[in-house]
Amino acid sequence: AATVDRFAPDVIVSSLSRSRFAARVVTRWKSIPHVECFVGDDYSPARLATLSRSEKRRARLVKLADRSSSWAFERGIALSQHLKKEVSRSLGVCSDRIVVLPRGRDPSHYQGWDRAVIRRQLDVPENAPVLISVGRLVPQKGMDVLIRAVERVKAHVPTVRLLIAGDGEQSAMLERLASALGLESNVKFLGSRADIPQLLAAADVFALATRFEGFGGVFAEAMMSSLPIVASDIPVARELVEPGRNGLLTGPEDAGAFADALIELLRSPDR
């Protein structure tokens, strides 16, 4: 409240649950218009399925508080049509209170990179077929499904490489999985990176077996890098990926179907 008094804003914009709840209290108290930004589908069954029992209980309590106080914002901004629909349903608010405003990217950041130079820096053979995935190494992103799919791809495309840019709680587990599947020379874990545009320039196909997303900005980044996409067939991906035009969609959790789609694009990159 003291910060609000010091800056005297005309509008308060909040994002993520903690700041949203705080902003709801302060804006009602100070009679300041409040705009909330919704960046994730916090209460989706797919997200809840990745939580422990105690985390699910907490999520249900948070949802109850979220829904009961949802009257305390004037307008909302969602990153996708799917997210708008889910926020309206979860919080019990009229969809007219929410507008869709996807996150933008600067196209110039994704052009002009020297593919051969970047591959040499990554120690990736110049002629190897390269897949890339970008995301936190957490259950949501389905990196386990992707690694299992690459095992199948390797049987048809032995020189395939998968670059994984990201870090998270599943890092060690995913490295063990890749090793157990005999993919030490095929899967390269790059850790958290700030040079995503350059990494995308080194690849042939972008792949993300994500279980749920609020928007999926990496899909937009892949498209700006002129990469075909293989992704899980989830609502957000359907807003960005048109099968047969800029990529392929497969059933979530289906490593076999995901592998088939990857093989198809690697063999027919212009598809």
Side-chain angles (χ1 to χ4, degrees):
T3 301
V4 172
D5 289 339
R6 185 164 68 253
F7 288 97
D10 296 309
V11 177
I12 289 180
V13 180
S14 65
S15 181
L16 303 179
S17 58
R18 289 185 180 179
S19 65
R20 292 206 312 265
F21 287 136
R24 288 176 187 179
V25 173
V26 171
T27 54
R28 294 309 92 189
W29 180 19
K30 300 291 185 179
S31 299
I32 300 172
H34 178 202
V35 176
E36 295 194 1
C37 297
F38 299 97
V39 300
D41 190 358
D42 295 338
Y43 310 117
S44 70
R47 177 179 183 272
L48 293 177
T50 67
L51 303 180
S52 67
R53 184 176 299 180
S54 61
E55 289 171 332
K56 288 177 182 176
R57 285 197 297 267
R58 182 181 181 278
R60 293 189 187 100
L61 291 174
V62 172
K63 179 180 179 181
L64 180 62
D66 208 355
R67 187 179 177 95
S68 63
S69 62
S70 62
W71 56 271
F73 69 90
E74 280 70 26
R75 291 290 185 270
I77 297 172
L79 297 182
S80 64
Q81 293 291 342
H82 167 71
L83 191 53
K84 173 180 177 177
K85 178 181 176 181
E86 289 305 302
V87 167
S88 177
R89 180 187 61 80
S90 297
L91 301 189
V93 301
C94 177
S95 61
D96 290 344
R97 289 171 60 189
I98 303 171
V99 299
V100 175
L101 184 62
R103 283 177 176 164
R105 299 289 191 277
D106 185 342
S108 66
H109 292 170
Y110 300 87
Q111 305 297 324
W113 300 107
D114 190 319
R115 170 189 174 99
V117 169
I118 297 168
R119 285 198 172 200
R120 284 197 297 272
Q121 293 171 347
L122 294 170
D123 194 26
V124 172
E126 184 174 349
N127 296 320
V130 176
L131 313 172
I132 186 168
S133 192
V134 178
R136 292 173 295 122
L137 305 189
V138 296
Q140 171 192 350
K141 299 299 182 178
M143 295 295 182
D144 55 321
V145 176
L146 176 57
I147 290 171
R148 293 184 187 282
V150 170
E151 179 195 22
R152 302 185 183 211
V153 173
K154 181 182 177 181
H156 300 270
V157 188
T159 57
V160 67
R161 297 291 189 275
L162 168 63
L163 305 178
I164 297 179
D167 201 357
E169 64 192 55
Q170 289 193 314
S171 178
M173 181 276 285
L174 292 170
E175 290 188 27
R176 288 195 300 270
L177 175 62
S179 178
L181 296 176
L183 299 174
E184 294 96 332
S185 63
N186 301 91
V187 178
K188 194 177 188 71
F189 292 89
L190 303 176
S192 182
R193 303 285 294 237
D195 56 346
I196 299 304
Q198 294 95 311
L199 298 179
L200 292 170
D204 298 297
V205 175
F206 179 83
L208 189 64
T210 184
R211 294 177 167 101
F212 59 94
E213 291 288 339
F215 171 56
V218 290
F219 294 139
E221 293 178 350
M223 287 188 282
M224 288 183 182
S225 302
S226 301
L227 288 179
I229 297 167
V230 176
S232 306
D233 189 6
I234 59 173
V236 167
R238 291 182 211 127
E239 293 184 34
L240 297 168
V241 181
E242 297 181 44
R245 182 177 180 185
N246 64 343
L248 297 171
L249 298 175
T250 73
E253 308 290 343
D254 191 340
F258 210 94
D260 290 342
L262 291 172
I263 293 168
E264 182 175 347
L265 288 184
L266 288 174
R267 288 178 171 173
S268 305
D270 296 328
R271 189 185 188 281

